[in-house]
Amino acid sequence: MEKEQEIIEEKPNSFWRRVYFAVIVFTFIVITALWAFSRYFS
């Protein structure tokens, strides 16, 4: 019983880890794009 629960709980964990990673990458891309635009128009 306990092992089945651990396996079930691990899937949302890896899903949220991917979500956090995607948010970090997306934020980095947005900040880089804003910096590039500000350099281009200054």
Side-chain angles (χ1 to χ4, degrees):
M1 269 290 202
E2 283 181 28
K3 283 185 180 179
E4 285 178 20
Q5 260 187 336
E6 284 176 23
I7 291 168
I8 290 167
E9 285 178 10
E10 199 157 349
K11 283 181 182 176
N13 238 2
S14 65
F15 168 76
W16 284 115
R17 205 170 295 144
R18 270 187 285 158
V19 170
Y20 292 143
F21 182 73
V23 168
I24 290 167
V25 169
F26 182 75
T27 303
F28 178 77
I29 290 169
V30 168
I31 290 170
T32 304
L34 289 171
W35 173 81
F37 280 123
S38 70
R39 293 278 292 184
Y40 180 77
F41 288 111
S42 64

